[in-house]
Amino acid sequence: MKKIYSIPLIRGIVWQVVGLLVGIGIVVGIRAAMGLQATGPFLVTEHAWVFGGFLGTLTFLVGHGVMGDWFKWWRGEITSDHHEDKPGWEKYFGPSLDHKVIGIQYTVTALIVMIVGGTFALIFRTELAFEGMQFLKPAQYNTLMSMHGIVMIVVILLGIGGMMNYLVPLLVGAHDMAFPRLNSFAFWIVVPAAVWLLSSMALGGIETGWTGYPPLSANMNLVGQQTFFLAVFIVGWSSVLGGLNLIATVVRMRAKGMTAFRMPIFVWASIATSLIALTATQLIGLSFQMVMFQRLFGMGFFDPVKGGNPVLFQHLFWFYSHPAVYVFILPGLGIVSELLPVFARKPLFGYKWIAMSSLGIALVGFLVWAHHMFTSGMNEYLRVPFMYSTLLVAVPTGVKFFSWTATIWKGKIDTPVPTPMLFTVGAVFVFLLGGLTGPPNATVSTDLHLHDTYWIVGHFHDTMFGGFMFPFFAALYYWFPKATGRRMNETLGKIHFWLMTPSFFVMTLGMMYIGLNGMRRRIADYDPAMGFQPTHFVLTIAGFLIALSVLVFFINLITSLRNGEVAKGNVWNSRSPEWQVESPMPAHNYEHPFEVVGEPYDYGLAGSKYVEFAKHK
Amino acid sequence: MSHTQDKASALKQGVLIGVYLAVLTALEYFIAISFMSVTVLTLVAVVKAALVAYYFMHIYKLNEEHEGGHDSFEYKTGTNRLGLWLFLLSDSFVFGGLLVSRFNLLGLERPHLNQLLGLAVTAVLLLSSFFMNRAETSMAHGDTKGFLNGILITILLGTGFLLGVVGVEWRLAAAEGLTASKNVVGGIFYMMTGMHAFHVLTGVIFLGLVYRNGRNGYFTKEQHWGVEAAAVYWHFVDLVWIFFYPALYLIGTLS
Ligand code: HEM
Ligand SMILES: [Cu+2]
């Protein structure tokens, strides 16, 4: 018992529960003393749940110990910057300061949460396979659908957190992130948030979709709606702090000779992503906080009866959530640009253009948010400017496609094609479909028809799979040997790819097809007369096939961890510094610092060199 | 950096900036009662904010080159400084969002508040920034006593501001019927002042820690990043109020 309690994660959860109970107790006590009602449909009132949730988050962090060094600083103690993790698996459950451990913590959590989110989708997808309600109630459908959306968004945030944490310090030659304690904090704060998010299912669920629009979200008498807001708010802080740390790391900790235009493309992409995460995230936090306060204290921000304006919520929300879609995809597109030259054995075409296009997408991305609101009743004169600004994003996105095509053109790709390359090319094709389906949504006249249909669902699954899922899998297959010292199984990898990709195309094209014909999104049932049922059935089958392919991936991951072929040397024959040293990566990264002496992607050019390691002392 | 400045000229600069800020605040008040131009009020606020950011928060230090290696104290302080400023950038989006919400929801109306009290708390916060600046420059010149006194006065003034806003203004507003749940005017008023007061409160706590550690001799003339961080954060909270004050008290007609 004592041994289990000594694991920080377990200790944190115990403290979290205690904090929750204490918080509930305090609020109930105060309300009872003031003669206010203290009990509610979910045992106690929302106030108690929210305060308890907030306190529980703090107690989790204290109990877990991730803030230990900060408490010491506050007491005026000096802590050592040299930290050593004990070997073994325990470090993954505690506040390790090593960016590689934290990167793996992020990645593994993302994969676990992905299973949860995927299961939700399979359940409501099964319900949709036939018309009429089979085994779910509409409210349950809404909860599962909303949870699928928000849980998958958390997966993406965790996944990019994993990639950026693990890779960026290695790519820039730093021994760690700029603020290791903050890094650990930003990861661990997600854990209590995930607990609140999932517990909202037990507290009445959420019925609004991941966007949580008021007035519905403000009026639904469900505590789950509040824990959902609280959880997203906390996850937002993780994003903000992670982005802050990453920018500081890249600005301050680059190896000698790594000028801006000699940075790997993934680093550029991470900077662009982090700039968005750092700033825009505050606005989703604020908008959710305002709905929370509207529910708790009756502050009428979005309540027209009190002079509020529900459309304001949408502006605040999309000011983050549109740029957020670039947070989701830019790291993935960076991975694509990173891997293509390695496997095509050719220089990356138009390096500077690619680097700048990431920043361009991020900046223009701040000016397009109202394209989600063409039907919302916002001021009509806003429509056309937002239409054009949105279409403008296609330019920097197009730059990336030209570069990728030109990079693969006449490349010398190994046969059989290695799994990471398969997923990279898959990403390009899937993202192409996602990108092409964007402009019709951006054009006001067509969007008035497309908005809130399954077409949109098809569009964003294409962009998210092309921009995140495929590159994420590519990155996992590619850097798995670096992290573990073993390779993943190629046959299983190919099964994964060839099962997932066609099923995925069938699924999203099918979604768009019924969407064009009028199938609404976020709805538990549909009219038999519309003739959607056969397509829905196919979509469900395709969904299960994708899940099956991911299962193959998990089997591969777990078996390779123990029995995979040992990775020797530079597995992919890459020029990148992390592959010039042994695998798994040594605890303190580079024993001898390197200096950048050439261009990063000059593959196939004789005599070219990217990095040079310092000689033995 | 200003530690090449000698002690007397640092004091002179602090006083000068304090006077500028006070004059500009009085000017704001005059504009508001005489011709109430939103553009001019915004401009004055931007000038005040720029003064604070440059002279009190010394934003230019972000650009400093550091001689030592990546492991030297100076280099690490530079990294910390960047981190803090990035945090403030992020935080300013919260306050920006609140300002946007305020103008979206209330337009050119403002809540019915006590003007004298508003001017008083603004002056108190401004004065606290002056003493914070004194505390920091004292530390930079190795004057521990001046530093401790400066921090203590800042803490007192900060607490005074909190009492003025949360203790008095909130009560007065509620007594006049402006409660949080009455209408959106109340909602915005309590949200904006509450969010800002929360930041002041964290600043006071931060200063308290710095005071205690400073009394235990934790900071030196050369190494006092904790003091600098507390100062920059404190001035940032003041900078936010520079925009919140006209938005809540001066701009628009009474609702
Ligand atoms: C050329 C690029 C793109 C354009 C022009 C575009 C345009 C749009 C527009 C106008 C909408 C709103 C449609 C509606 O609700 O009526 C939309 C929805 C959406 N897009 Fe895109 N998009 C593009 C790329 C992306 C990318 C790269 C992603 C993310 C990875 C993305 C993710 C989404 C999501 C998640 C939604 C649905 C949001 C919701 O209502 O729940 N899009 N897109
Ligand atoms: Cu968008």
Side-chain angles (χ1 to χ4, degrees):
Chain A
M1 212 38 219
K2 216 169 163 186
K3 193 149 175 232
I4 296 180
Y5 184 71
S6 74
I7 300 172
L9 174 63
I10 305 289
R11 202 166 55 226
I13 301 241
V14 171
W15 280 54
Q16 182 178 5
V17 174
V18 173
L20 171 71
L21 295 176
V22 171
I24 289 179
I26 292 174
V27 175
V28 168
I30 292 178
R31 285 185 77 87
M34 288 169 67
L36 297 168
Q37 194 195 357
T39 56
F42 299 91
L43 290 175
V44 292
T45 55
E46 260 179 53
H47 309 81
W49 282 108
V50 172
F51 184 70
F54 181 71
L55 200 68
T57 308
L58 290 182
T59 50
F60 173 93
L61 295 168
V62 174
H64 178 274
V66 64
M67 307 208 291
D69 276 359
W70 289 342
F71 290 141
K72 286 187 188 153
W73 295 357
W74 296 346
R75 285 199 299 268
E77 290 170 33
I78 292 166
T79 56
S80 164
D81 267 358
H82 293 279
H83 39 79
E84 208 73 49
D85 284 319
K86 290 196 198 78
W89 53 269
E90 278 97 347
K91 60 174 178 275
Y92 292 104
F93 294 94
S96 171
L97 300 185
D98 181 349
H99 74 99
K100 297 187 292 304
V101 174
I102 297 174
I104 291 171
Q105 286 171 334
Y106 268 113
T107 308
V108 172
T109 317
L111 291 172
I112 294 171
V113 180
M114 190 196 287
I115 300 177
V116 178
T119 311
F120 293 158
L122 292 181
I123 299 173
F124 75 75
R125 197 61 248 177
T126 311
E127 169 65 53
L128 285 171
F130 300 98
E131 58 218 13
M133 297 307 286
Q134 272 56 249
F135 60 96
L136 289 179
K137 297 192 185 63
Q140 290 171 329
Y141 172 88
N142 287 351
T143 298
L144 286 168
M145 179 273 300
S146 311
M147 288 299 277
H148 167 67
I150 195 70
V151 165
M152 284 308 190
I153 286 173
V154 174
V155 169
I156 297 181
L157 292 174
L158 289 169
I160 61 168
M163 293 193 286
M164 297 198 311
N165 260 297
Y166 193 87
L167 294 177
V168 168
L170 295 185
L171 293 179
V172 302
H175 53 84
D176 207 325
M177 296 285 273
F179 308 112
R181 292 167 190 84
L182 190 69
N183 201 19
S184 181
F185 181 83
F187 168 72
W188 283 103
I189 196 170
V190 178
V191 175
V195 173
W196 302 137
L197 189 59
L198 293 178
S199 62
S200 64
M201 298 189 57
L203 294 170
I206 44 175
E207 301 220 9
T208 55
W210 75 280
T211 49
Y213 278 9
L216 186 61
S217 63
N219 299 342
M220 273 281 169
N221 194 13
L222 304 168
V223 172
Q225 202 73 49
Q226 284 286 43
T227 41
F228 156 75
F229 283 137
L230 180 70
V232 177
F233 181 77
I234 300 171
V235 173
W237 273 104
S238 161
S239 244
V240 167
L241 299 175
L244 186 162
N245 213 337
L246 193 119
I247 297 175
T249 306
V250 176
V251 173
R252 305 283 301 175
M253 321 251 301
R254 292 195 311 275
K256 214 168 139 197
M258 189 176 283
T259 53
F261 286 112
R262 281 182 172 174
M263 295 195 304
I265 287 293
F266 182 71
V267 176
W268 274 105
S270 304
I271 282 276
T273 288
S274 302
L275 278 174
I276 301 174
L278 176 74
T279 54
T281 309
Q282 295 288 8
L283 285 148
I284 192 181
L286 181 67
S287 63
F288 278 15
Q289 212 180 338
M290 283 162 84
V291 185
M292 287 175 82
F293 285 2
Q294 175 161 343
R295 294 176 63 107
L296 291 175
F297 310 120
M299 296 162 116
F301 306 116
F302 309 122
D303 180 359
V305 176
K306 293 184 176 170
N309 176 10
V311 176
L312 172 65
F313 175 89
Q314 298 189 23
H315 280 297
L316 295 175
F317 177 85
W318 286 113
F319 185 82
Y320 163 74
S321 294
H322 181 80
V325 305
Y326 300 126
V327 169
F328 303 162
I329 60 160
L330 286 174
L333 303 188
I335 296 281
V336 172
S337 303
E338 199 71 37
L339 300 196
L340 278 183
V342 178
F343 290 104
R345 312 302 311 162
K346 273 183 59 198
L348 179 68
F349 188 86
Y351 167 91
K352 271 193 190 170
W353 286 86
I354 284 260
M356 286 295 126
S357 73
S358 293
L359 279 186
I361 291 180
L363 296 183
V364 181
F366 273 100
L367 306 174
V368 303
W369 74 89
H371 63 218
H372 294 273
M373 301 167 58
F374 288 146
T375 63
S376 70
M378 68 171 177
N379 290 333
E380 222 155 279
Y381 64 83
L382 290 175
R383 283 178 167 177
V384 171
F386 276 104
M387 167 170 126
Y388 281 113
S389 61
T390 304
L391 292 172
L392 199 64
V393 182
V395 176
T397 317
V399 166
K400 288 193 189 290
F401 274 99
F402 282 123
S403 152
W404 294 334
T405 321
T407 304
I408 306 180
W409 189 258
K410 293 195 174 161
K412 296 182 206 58
I413 300 167
D414 280 355
T415 38
V417 183
T419 310
M421 180 60 171
L422 279 179
F423 276 92
T424 310
V425 176
V428 174
F429 279 99
V430 174
F431 190 69
L432 180 64
L433 187 56
L436 289 179
T437 50
N441 312 342
T443 312
V444 179
S445 48
T446 38
D447 185 57
L448 294 181
H449 173 67
L450 296 171
H451 181 66
D452 260 352
T453 65
Y454 251 74
W455 165 274
I456 303 294
V457 183
H459 158 71
F460 70 69
H461 278 87
D462 270 330
T463 50
M464 305 238 181
F465 267 68
F468 174 75
M469 282 296 178
F470 276 79
F472 184 51
F473 284 129
L476 285 167
Y477 283 106
Y478 185 85
W479 276 288
F480 184 86
K482 191 80 258 168
T484 64
R486 290 177 186 277
R487 301 180 64 148
M488 285 179 78
N489 183 300
E490 278 288 317
T491 316
L492 288 177
K494 295 207 164 80
I495 296 178
H496 173 199
F497 178 80
W498 288 112
L499 197 56
M500 181 162 117
T501 313
S503 322
F504 181 75
F505 273 112
V506 168
M507 188 178 85
T508 54
L509 288 170
M511 285 172 168
M512 292 179 207
Y513 168 69
I514 52 174
L516 279 177
N517 286 318
M519 173 72 204
R520 318 273 305 138
R521 70 188 274 209
R522 293 180 174 161
I523 200 154
D525 197 11
Y526 42 89
D527 186 350
M530 300 291 276
F532 298 144
Q533 195 273 328
T535 318
H536 267 303
F537 186 75
V538 173
L539 295 187
T540 306
I541 302 288
F544 273 93
L545 287 178
I546 295 172
L548 185 66
S549 76
V550 177
L551 186 69
V552 173
F553 165 78
F554 274 103
I555 292 172
N556 191 352
L557 193 75
I558 291 163
T559 52
S560 306
L561 212 50
R562 302 168 131 247
N563 310 323
E565 184 196 330
V566 175
K568 276 193 275 317
N570 191 342
V571 179
W572 312 106
N573 205 358
S574 159
R575 294 159 54 88
S576 197
E578 82 275 20
W579 289 108
Q580 316 308 323
V581 298
E582 79 225 60
S583 306
M585 199 71 197
H588 292 290
N589 297 353
Y590 302 102
E591 198 190 336
H592 305 284
F594 64 78
E595 187 178 336
V596 175
V597 293
E599 305 302 321
Y601 299 106
D602 281 349
Y603 284 93
L605 299 191
S608 69
K609 215 169 181 188
Y610 180 39
V611 294
E612 207 163 65
F613 284 86
K615 295 275 165 321
H616 288 258
K617 298 193 182 104
Chain B
M1 174 183 154
S2 53
H3 63 220
T4 50
Q5 261 179 348
D6 64 46
K7 224 172 142 182
S9 72
L11 173 64
K12 206 169 119 195
Q13 188 188 60
V15 172
L16 213 59
I17 301 305
V19 171
Y20 285 160
L21 289 171
V23 170
L24 285 171
T25 309
L27 180 68
E28 272 179 332
Y29 197 76
F30 170 75
I31 295 168
I33 54 175
S34 56
F35 59 99
M36 219 299 287
S37 155
V38 180
T39 325
V40 180
L41 280 173
T42 314
L43 274 177
V44 177
V46 168
V47 172
K48 285 171 76 180
L51 285 175
V52 170
Y54 193 83
Y55 289 104
F56 282 173
M57 301 167 80
H58 17 254
I59 188 170
Y60 52 84
K61 280 195 195 174
L62 280 176
N63 233 343
E64 247 167 38
E65 299 277 334
H66 304 279
E67 309 243 305
H70 282 206
D71 284 327
S72 70
F73 180 82
E74 280 73 35
Y75 198 83
K76 281 188 179 160
T77 302
T79 308
N80 287 340
R81 201 175 278 143
L82 175 67
L84 179 62
W85 275 96
L86 287 174
F87 176 78
L88 299 184
L89 174 70
S90 172
D91 215 13
S92 60
F93 273 71
V94 178
F95 295 112
L98 283 172
L99 281 172
V100 167
S101 307
R102 179 246 176 267
F103 285 104
N104 178 283
L105 294 174
L106 309 188
L108 287 185
E109 277 180 19
R110 62 184 159 86
H112 191 90
L113 303 170
N114 187 325
Q115 285 295 337
L116 212 59
L117 188 60
L119 206 54
V121 292
T122 306
V124 165
L125 201 58
L126 211 160
L127 210 58
S128 80
S129 257
F130 169 76
F131 281 104
M132 187 68 243
N133 183 250
R134 288 310 307 142
E136 198 198 348
T137 39
S138 301
M139 191 72 244
H141 291 102
D143 170 8
T144 314
K145 194 135 184 290
F147 154 72
L148 287 175
N149 286 340
I151 294 272
L152 206 56
I153 299 173
T154 311
I155 293 178
L156 289 177
L157 290 171
T159 316
F161 175 87
L162 280 178
L163 288 176
V165 172
V166 179
V168 184
E169 187 74 279
W170 281 21
R171 254 167 215 267
L172 291 179
E176 291 205 13
L178 187 70
T179 58
S181 59
K182 182 179 171 225
N183 57 24
V184 72
V185 182
I188 283 286
F189 166 68
Y190 288 99
M191 186 80 190
M192 283 174 74
T193 47
M195 183 71 88
H196 181 260
F198 174 73
H199 280 76
V200 177
L201 182 68
T202 50
V204 169
I205 295 172
F206 193 179
L207 287 176
L209 293 169
V210 168
Y211 181 76
R212 208 201 39 190
N213 288 339
R215 239 186 29 184
N216 296 340
Y218 187 71
F219 303 114
T220 62
K221 188 174 161 184
E222 291 80 23
Q223 304 204 347
H224 53 267
W225 162 245
V227 180
E228 183 183 331
V232 172
Y233 182 72
W234 188 261
H235 296 308
F236 173 73
V237 174
D238 189 9
L239 190 145
V240 169
W241 189 253
I242 286 179
F243 291 97
F244 272 28
Y245 171 64
L248 285 170
Y249 285 85
L250 302 180
I251 290 181
T253 48
L254 283 180
S255 67

